[in-house]
Amino acid sequence: MPPSICAVCRTNRALILRPKDHSKLCRECFITVFETEIHHTILSTNLFERGERIAIGASGGKDSTVLASVLKTLNERYDYGLELMLLSIDEGIKGYRDDSLETVKRNAVQYDMPLTILGYSELYGWTMDQVVEQVGKKGNCTYCGVFRRQALDRGAARLGVKHVVTGHNADDVAETVLMNLLRGDLPRLSRTTSIVTSTPSLAPNKTGVADNTHIKRSKPLKYAYEKEIVLYAHHKQLDYFSTECIYSPEAFRGSARALIKNLERVRPSAILDVVRSGEDMARLVPGSDEGCGGACASATAAEEEVGGCGSAVGKSMASVERQLASNERAQESNLETEITLPKPSPAPSTTPAGPPLKGQKKPRSERSGGPKKKGPAKQVMGSCIKCGYLSSQAVCKACVLLEGLNKSRPKNAIEVGYEVQDVSLNSVRDELEATTLSTER
Amino acid sequence: MPGKTTDGALSEVCRRCKENSSVLVVRLEPLCQDCFARYVHTKAIKRLETFRVNFHTNEERKVLLPLTFGVSSTTLMHILDLHLKTQMSKTGRTGFALSVLAIGNAEGTLPVDGFLDKVRRQYPGDAALRDLVPHAADVRNFSDQEQLASLINSLPSASARADVLSTLRTRLIVEHARSAGCQSILWGDSTTALAEKTLAETCKGRGFSLPWQVADGKTPFGVYFHYPLRDVLKKELVSYIDLADSGLASLVHESTPGATQASTSSKNTTIDDLMKQYFESVEENFPSIVSNVVRTSSKLEVPAGADSDPRCGTAGLGKESVKAFAAHAPEHIYLTGRNSTAAASLMAEVRSERSTAALSFIELDLSSLRSPVGFDCTDKLAPLAKDKDLANRLWDWTDKILARYDGADG
């Protein structure tokens, strides 16, 4: 069989089977196609403004390294006029973060970008290693997730930057969509797919007075496949660090992740299809902000949670099950069976179910006026009375967790559950080798 | 047997009646046979509030039950029959009239006639179950089996083939419901099946359609969909069939006793298979997660006013696709859709940008099987199709389906 020819340039020999659509491309064309797609994402969502200062949330891993490299390339090629810098958070995990930070330091030199490193110990007085010593390995992701979200914002505020980009990819977004469906988290479902989520947070300004600044978060790699990111990093010979967090097992996400990987095998476009569905469903969530199709995304609330680790996500499937089951039983003992949809308008609701027939009575729940199942509650944002960070509660989650830690007893229950499935990055890499066209093709 | 049997705790007393000994544990409760049957019935009938006996009108609601001879739809038929009998004995009238539509499978391997006979014997001359329509709308039963097969085989993947078949099946059932004057279709989907559907549709990029694919209520087809078994898990239905004494089990034809042994090769696996496998394993240990998926997706709703506002430029072939095609300066672009005004403005827009391509608009509602009729498709479209023969067969086939319905109407 003659060697395959690149489907784009039709001159070079194809070396890459593109994960997204299985087209055969040469190295150069793959890199161009990958970069152009991200350029397209940036243009079509008006992600950046000329002269904007952008902090890249850099962990030293493949996603953020590729993000930094691509943004630098595109910024120069298409003259976005951006000022790029790297922002790293040091969670204080020995054998993981200290090594990956070395990578980030090299990247800063390679890409000629200023680097700021902000540590948990500096911000909160606790490193993750110390937290784990205190609370154990289970449930520590809650702390890490809550702390990191704030840390990135605080870091951005310190740099005087109003826009942080993160390396979340299409697989992460798709995974989160499925996960939010599985655990029934509609408010998050309505948020996870939007490319921009703004985190209005408090940052001390020059006068030392707390000042509400909106820090924009975005994920330019939202439509990029994880496999293609790894391929890109490989073919551009990027310097990245590939070890997963040593504390990371997350059974619930693992189950969604395994499903996504299987789907990708059956139909490569499935990941994008899930992202698309997620975008569409966001508009269907009652009372969501996405009615405008994401155009007014600035209204989306804080506490986004895509990819990586995060608070409520660090649960095992078994603990989610227990919680849901007890909700169900509580509901049944209330004799509450109808699920009433909260109407966004105060107008009297019309029952959506069933043919409109004369003399039809309302469902039991409406007649009895019994306790109704609440729909997704709209968050009302205030600020934490302790640290001033944006919070829906009087005291923000980080301060609550910190208080527990400082009292030497964890406030959050530590979940004991057993893991179901977990797919590690290693399997992704194995597959990658399979997707790189070998000579016998 | 699925649905945990009480092995060690066999002696445990049923938690509901506190009299009989339990036969299985349902959501942590040990139940006896009667209480379990009542549990399943209550869950289903609670969902049928809309179909209570209505004393204010003489008009009878007609509903359609598509019967695939699987566990779920057979159970639903049995429960509906019981429900109708109860209504009759209590009030002397029924809240609805039931039509049952027997559905074969596309391969034609299901002995529909044999099963139908059994069903008829099981529910003989029942006043309530009056309208047993024999396999009128089964894709399998068209004499042009081969046409269908060649159409389906021209699709590139197992997922696509399964998808087209199920879409065709739904459309045919809806079409039958319309021609039989049924306002509602009662689907047999269990909680598990609906959860599978939710995730499968999400993974096929059709998250937008979930409000009418999973929730009870009106669909864009104009017919109401109801899922009375939405609160019952698949494994509970299997137990129900096993425990039922009325010979119900003999009516069930389970061609695939479980999706778990589905092909390991990803070539033959469909997205639906994947979801089935996934939820079969989840259902085993985490039943609440399964029901939570269904509860969550049922909360999605089409925002008010969305109907009047077409989602695409022409409510048909995508605006962006047309523009992308135009960029390649083809000879002629035919675009289809439902909204001719929008199409006109789109064509004007494209012409202002690139004038080389000829553009024609064909008004077509692809959600309706009847729409292509009256439009001389073969003449206009055939020259476009790479496979002229395929185009012809497609239109012939559509004609024949519609002819059947027109015959049924008269």
Side-chain angles (χ1 to χ4, degrees):
Chain A
M1 217 176 133
S4 315
I5 297 299
C6 169
V8 175
C9 65
R10 306 221 173 261
T11 45
N12 296 334
R13 197 174 150 195
L15 281 173
I16 296 166
L17 186 62
R18 199 180 172 204
K20 216 176 220 172
D21 58 5
H22 287 191
S23 58
K24 293 168 185 169
L25 301 178
C26 68
R27 203 187 76 98
E28 287 72 26
C29 288
F30 168 73
I31 287 172
T32 317
V33 164
F34 183 84
E35 287 166 353
T36 311
E37 281 189 8
I38 293 165
H39 174 58
H40 209 85
T41 308
I42 291 169
L43 285 196
S44 59
T45 52
N46 294 321
L47 206 55
F48 301 128
E49 279 166 35
R50 208 177 168 76
E52 209 175 344
R53 301 175 71 228
I54 310 282
I56 301 170
S59 65
K62 57 179 169 47
D63 297 314
S64 56
T65 307
V66 166
L67 179 63
S69 163
V70 169
L71 282 187
K72 182 181 168 65
T73 309
L74 294 178
N75 192 30
E76 286 163 8
R77 183 182 302 158
Y78 297 103
D79 189 26
Y80 291 163
L82 300 178
E83 190 184 327
L84 299 170
M85 57 201 81
L86 298 173
L87 172 61
S88 287
I89 304 301
D90 182 4
E91 293 92 346
I93 304 175
K94 276 220 164 52
Y96 166 63
R97 188 51 92 213
D98 45 355
D99 292 345
S100 63
L101 281 177
E102 287 309 310
T103 318
V104 182
K105 284 176 194 160
R106 287 197 301 277
N107 288 340
V109 178
Q110 288 153 4
Y111 304 141
D112 189 24
M113 291 181 195
L115 165 68
T116 309
I117 300 177
L118 212 59
Y120 277 10
S121 57
E122 180 191 341
L123 281 173
Y124 307 107
W126 287 80
T127 66
M128 271 316 286
D129 283 341
Q130 290 166 336
V131 172
V132 171
E133 209 173 290
Q134 181 81 252
V135 306
K137 280 204 172 187
K138 295 271 178 187
N140 70 77
C141 291
T142 307
Y143 291 83
C144 198
V146 171
F147 287 171
R148 188 178 28 241
R149 252 187 304 285
Q150 286 205 9
L152 268 181
D153 286 344
R154 286 168 197 266
R158 188 173 293 187
L159 290 169
V161 165
K162 293 193 171 177
H163 190 163
V164 179
V165 290
T166 53
H168 293 113
N169 57 42
D171 297 51
D172 294 333
V173 177
E175 227 170 84
T176 313
V177 169
L178 292 192
M179 216 172 54
N180 285 329
L181 272 176
L182 286 172
R183 63 175 179 194
D185 195 333
L186 279 181
R188 279 212 180 80
L189 184 63
S190 71
R191 275 184 255 132
T192 42
T193 45
S194 57
I195 190 161
V196 179
T197 43
S198 97
T199 318
S201 71
L202 284 186
N205 62 14
K206 279 177 194 120
T207 54
V209 182
D211 174 30
N212 252 320
T213 347
H214 284 265
I215 294 190
K216 199 167 146 189
R217 280 279 185 92
S218 66
K219 21 185 193 290
L221 301 185
K222 181 189 166 191
Y223 298 113
Y225 278 32
E226 181 174 33
K227 281 182 181 173
E228 299 199 353
I229 287 172
V230 182
L231 273 177
Y232 182 86
H234 172 76
H235 287 288
K236 281 211 93 174
Q237 288 164 342
L238 299 185
D239 182 6
Y240 70 95
F241 182 79
S242 56
T243 305
E244 275 185 280
C245 175
I246 50 175
Y247 299 135
S248 79
E250 269 195 90
F252 202 82
R253 183 175 279 279
S255 150
R257 172 171 282 261
L259 197 56
I260 288 284
K261 294 296 170 207
N262 286 335
L263 274 169
E264 188 185 11
R265 221 165 286 138
V266 171
R267 181 186 273 181
S269 72
I271 295 179
L272 280 183
D273 291 339
V274 174
V275 175
R276 173 62 198 248
S277 286
E279 290 168 351
D280 287 339
M281 284 190 282
R283 264 174 255 133
L284 304 177
V285 172
S288 81
D289 298 322
E290 298 290 306
C292 50
C296 50
S298 61
T300 44
E303 291 191 70
E304 70 163 322
E305 226 177 62
V306 173
C309 0
S311 59
V313 195
K315 280 185 176 179
S316 73
M317 209 130 168
S319 67
V320 173
E321 167 71 18
R322 270 197 302 277
Q323 196 190 331
L324 290 173
S326 70
N327 286 351
E328 259 172 30
R329 276 194 298 280
Q331 224 180 311
E332 253 172 48
S333 54
N334 277 342
L335 298 173
E336 185 59 34
T337 48
E338 281 285 331
I339 291 152
T340 41
L341 301 174
K343 299 290 167 199
S345 64
S349 64
T350 43
T351 327
L357 290 153
K358 271 187 280 170
Q360 189 195 351
K361 286 183 187 164
K362 285 179 181 175
R364 179 172 297 159
S365 61
E366 284 186 30
R367 278 183 279 129
S368 68
K372 284 182 189 176
K373 182 139 175 28
K374 283 215 180 81
K378 204 142 183 183
Q379 279 181 323
V380 183
M381 286 297 169
S383 52
C384 171
I385 54 170
K386 284 201 164 175
C387 68
Y389 188 80
L390 178 104
S391 167
S392 51
Q393 311 292 323
V395 179
C396 77
K397 232 172 169 178
C399 287
V400 172
L401 291 175
L402 271 177
E403 203 186 327
L405 282 174
N406 291 336
K407 276 186 192 160
S408 299
R409 58 179 169 82
K411 194 145 191 176
N412 266 29
I414 299 151
E415 304 289 354
V416 184
Y418 57 95
E419 268 76 56
V420 188
Q421 285 156 307
D422 198 19
V423 175
S424 70
L425 252 184
N426 293 335
S427 64
V428 178
R429 307 190 85 205
D430 291 345
E431 275 171 33
L432 255 177
E433 278 156 25
T435 54
T436 309
L437 276 188
S438 52
T439 37
E440 72 261 14
R441 282 297 293 260
Chain B
M1 194 177 78
K4 282 174 204 151
T5 40
T6 47
D7 310 313
L10 239 162
S11 52
E12 212 172 324
V13 172
C14 167
R15 193 159 304 165
R16 296 220 169 158
C17 63
K18 312 237 179 335
E19 281 172 17
N20 307 326
S21 59
S22 61
V23 289
L24 79 173
V25 176
V26 179
R27 307 193 194 191
L28 304 177
E29 267 189 313
L31 294 183
C32 70
Q33 195 165 333
D34 291 347
C35 288
F36 175 61
R38 208 169 299 132
Y39 163 88
V40 174
H41 293 170
T42 318
K43 290 229 159 189
I45 286 164
K46 219 175 247 169
R47 284 284 161 193
L48 292 170
E49 291 264 298
T50 340
F51 301 103
R52 279 177 309 178
V53 177
N54 186 348
F55 295 100
H56 303 290
T57 172
N58 280 323
E59 176 198 345
E60 199 164 37
R61 279 162 288 182
K62 286 179 84 176
V63 303
L64 185 74
L65 167 69
L67 177 66
T68 59
F69 305 100
V71 167
S72 309
S73 59
T74 310
T75 308
L76 182 57
M77 179 177 69
H78 184 70
I79 292 174
L80 289 174
D81 180 55
L82 288 176
H83 189 46
L84 284 169
K85 281 177 184 155
T86 315
Q87 285 186 338
M88 192 50 121
S89 70
K90 274 189 183 157
T91 64
R93 53 202 291 187
T94 57
F96 58 98
L98 183 66
S99 298
V100 176
L101 178 67
I103 310 291
N105 58 4
E107 295 82 35
T109 48
L110 182 71
V112 177
D113 294 338
F115 273 100
L116 210 53
D117 282 345
K118 279 196 222 165
V119 171
R120 286 212 183 88
R121 260 177 276 138
Q122 190 86 21
Y123 304 94
D126 200 313
L129 198 71
R130 65 180 74 154
D131 201 5
L132 203 61
V133 181
H135 53 263
D138 176 19
V139 272
R140 170 190 85 91
N141 279 310
F142 293 112
S143 51
D144 340 61
Q145 171 85 28
E146 283 155 30
Q147 283 195 13
L148 177 67
S150 75
L151 252 175
I152 297 297
N153 287 334
S154 66
L155 296 167
S157 73
S159 288
R161 288 190 286 273
D163 202 37
V164 167
L165 277 178
S166 81
T167 308
L168 281 175
R169 207 174 71 157
T170 309
R171 288 280 152 80
L172 284 170
I173 293 170
V174 166
E175 200 65 14
H176 177 85
R178 275 204 204 122
S179 66
C182 298
Q183 300 106 316
S184 304
I185 300 179
L186 304 183
W187 300 94
D189 301 47
S190 61
T191 311
T192 322
L194 287 173
E196 283 161 16
K197 198 203 256 179
T198 300
L199 255 62
E201 291 301 306
T202 304
C203 297
K204 291 174 194 162
R206 296 205 202 104
F208 70 90
S209 68
L210 286 175
W212 65 86
Q213 294 233 56
V214 176
D216 288 352
K218 198 170 182 183
T219 62
F221 309 123
V223 177
Y224 288 81
F225 282 6
H226 289 268
Y227 302 90
L229 296 180
R230 64 161 59 248
D231 294 327
V232 190
L233 295 167
K234 176 74 186 278
K235 64 177 179 188
E236 293 169 349
L237 291 176
V238 172
S239 305
Y240 179 86
I241 292 269
D242 286 347
L243 291 171
D245 42 34
S246 48
L248 209 53
S250 69
L251 300 180
V252 175
H253 174 91
E254 263 307 39
S255 52
T256 45
T260 17
Q261 71 251 48
S263 164
T264 40
S265 127
S266 53
K267 259 221 169 89
N268 299 323
T269 313
T270 65
I271 290 179
D272 299 342
D273 289 341
L274 271 184
M275 292 308 158
K276 222 171 176 176
Q277 287 165 31
Y278 180 74
F279 277 108
E280 254 171 34
S281 66
V282 172
E283 187 193 51
E284 204 48 55
N285 294 310
F286 314 113
S288 298
I289 289 184
V290 180
S291 33
N292 195 44
V293 171
V294 179
R295 212 177 306 129
T296 307
S297 57
S298 306
K299 278 186 205 154
L300 298 173
E301 54 184 29
V302 182
D307 274 354
S308 54
D309 176 29
R311 49 175 46 247
C312 327
T314 57
L317 180 61
K319 182 177 177 176
E320 293 301 324
S321 317
V322 172
K323 285 175 147 182
F325 286 141
H328 293 278
E331 201 176 300
H332 205 129
I333 301 174
Y334 291 85
L335 53 148
T336 63
R338 283 167 287 169
N339 186 339
S340 53
T341 332
S345 77
L346 170 60
M347 290 197 286
E349 194 181 328
V350 173
R351 281 197 190 104
S352 71
E353 287 169 14
R354 344 233 162 205
S355 49
T356 53
L359 290 160
S360 325
F361 176 68
I362 300 168
E363 197 170 328
L364 201 59
D365 182 358
L366 292 176
S367 68
S368 161
L369 286 172
R370 287 169 192 279
S371 172
V373 178
F375 171 76
D376 193 358
C377 311
T378 4
D379 273 7
K380 285 188 188 159
L381 287 181
L384 302 172
K386 254 192 198 155
D387 180 355
K388 194 171 173 177
D389 189 42
L390 182 73
N392 281 327
R393 275 183 290 151
L394 179 61
W395 294 121
D396 283 353
W397 186 66
T398 315
D399 268 354
K400 270 180 202 153
I401 300 171
L402 293 169
R404 285 178 87 100
Y405 282 109
D406 293 341
D409 281 344

